[in-house]
Amino acid sequence: MASESGPGSTDPLLLPRRRAPSKGGWKSALFIIWVEVAERFAYYGISSNLISYLTGPLGQTTAAAAAAVNAWSGAASMLPLLGAAVADSWLGRYRTIVASSVLYIVGLGMLTLSSMFPSPQQCRGAVDSQGACPPSSFQTVFFYISLYLVAIAQSGHKPCVQAFGADQFDATDPDESSSRASFFNWWYFALCVSGTVTIALMSYVQDNVSWALGFGVPSLVMLLALAIFLLGTRTYRFYGSGGGGGGGSNGGASAGGTFSLVGKAFAAWRKRRSKRQEAAWPVDLPLENGDVAEDAALAEEVSGLARLFPIWATCLLYGVVFAQPLTLFTKQAGTLDRRVGPAFQVPPAALQCFLGVSIVACIVVYDRVLVPVARRVTGAASGITLLRRIGTGIALALVTLVVAALVEMKRLRAARDAGLVVDGAAGAAAVPMSLWWIVPQYVLLGAADVFAMVGMQEFFYDQVPGALKSLGLALYLSVLGVGSYISSFLITAIDGLTTRDGGTSWFADDLNRGHLDYFYLLLAALTALDLVAFTYFSASYVYRRKGGNSH
């Protein structure tokens, strides 16, 4: 538990955290990486094909389903801000990971049950226009409750697991500091391998076997993830005041944390305000030595967070681009000729595998080729600065959107030439155009992720105060969350505007009558403006000086 403050106590924010030298390092980090591999299998087992479930068994329109997926993704990425604050200020990362894993398993189990309704007896005599059972209100409500339980579980799991893994390396040790930089690259490498395998396997099971099995397997894998995490407990490096209940990675408030920092800032403001009210004249009073040290440390923590805001805000458009593969890219792929061989047809969501393959390949090239070359040129241990890495990713995202728009223009021309643009069509007819045309936009976005996503992870972890490492990774996740909400807002607003006077939506259920190319070009223009703003703010950013894991 948190240590009580009192006479003779020392502010833990000002003390370096002690560690057990025999623990931590790559042995512990590998346990944690494997936990995240299993968790990503569970997450992508749901998210990668979610839009197909919403437009299929739940019977939603393309625009409504895309908005719903973006809203859920936004919640799953925004809630980690709360989960990180709870972990840094109260529970600690270890306990938060365990608690959120249990909630994760419950949510996935409920999601599996929701896909089993209604029974054939309940469905008898009540089928939709395609001969399928329409979802009952109970099934829909139960499904969304289960889905958002998974999002709540993400709030504690996602920011804490990666921060806990990075905690296994001491930034003050030259060898471990170098290992920690590689940890972020290989962490993302492992996640993408897991995601690629998951998407290829589970999208086929969900499209061709059953949704119940497609949701059930991720719940079992998440149960395995919790067992693996607990198995490695004795090897972990815990920072704080004790083995079982200290701060930082293990315990909670003794390491300070988000709520502690806010409380200290408010208390300092009230203290200064009361002193000025007691003075005869409204002038600044000289501070006592203790006040000077406390205020200086507090000012550094608060100003450090404030400096991050312009960088965070100018990364948001990347979050919008990141939301597209799970939604519109997948619906776009569903209209193409996806036959491979005489009988096999690639599931639309499985094309997201090319995103993972691109990321895996680019991480290896980046870590083993580009970084060593750049290190010799710049003399910096990381090769290029973190902000330059993120900026390169945003630029690649811009190229991705332009390519996606050009491919969509070609797809629409092919649909018109084949006579597939028909008024009143019930759905998007397959276009005589190979699936390979859409692969470049997945590959380019994968390369962008290696620069932007990994760069944001390391940047926000490294640049927040030492007691707020989980919050730093939650800030990176919130970029994706806010980006998903922006994407949901844009889709809903554009859909309403384009259909207001009886017109055709850019996101028509029959995509051959829609205009995804216009949407991609709009995002490209916004991303170009965003890149200019990011370049401006990053040029004046002053990096926080590196210290230990607690800084």
Side-chain angles (χ1 to χ4, degrees), residues 18-37 92-98 101 157 160-170 176 183 187 224-240 242-244 247-251 549:
R18 293 168 298 184
R19 63 179 176 89
S22 61
K23 296 185 178 183
W26 276 110
K27 180 176 70 173
S28 300
L30 287 175
F31 268 107
I32 300 168
I33 287 175
W34 279 113
V35 170
E36 187 69 1
V37 165
R93 290 167 200 148
Y94 180 84
R95 295 193 189 107
T96 303
I97 293 168
V98 173
S101 296
H157 202 281
C160 294
V161 175
Q162 189 172 11
F164 192 53
D167 281 347
Q168 305 309 308
F169 303 97
D170 188 349
E176 291 199 16
F183 166 79
W187 172 274
L224 175 64
L226 177 58
I228 291 174
F229 182 73
L230 295 175
L231 188 64
T233 298
R234 291 184 178 275
T235 74
Y236 299 146
R237 177 181 294 169
F238 295 103
Y239 294 94
S249 300
N250 193 31
N549 284 24

Side-chain angles (χ1 to χ4, degrees), residues 299-366:
E300 182 183 355
E301 306 291 351
V302 174
S303 64
L305 289 177
R307 288 198 308 270
L308 294 176
F309 179 77
I311 303 299
W312 177 86
T314 51
C315 288
L316 293 179
L317 257 295
Y318 189 86
V320 178
V321 181
F322 185 81
Q324 304 316 309
L326 295 179
T327 53
L328 299 181
F329 280 18
T330 298
K331 296 300 292 183
Q332 186 183 12
T335 68
L336 300 177
D337 181 0
R338 293 172 281 108
R339 291 173 297 176
V340 176
F344 183 73
Q345 181 162 275
V346 178
L351 289 175
Q352 295 173 40
C353 290
F354 290 105
L355 183 66
V357 170
S358 173
I359 291 171
V360 168
C362 290
I363 283 178
V364 174
V365 172
Y366 181 87

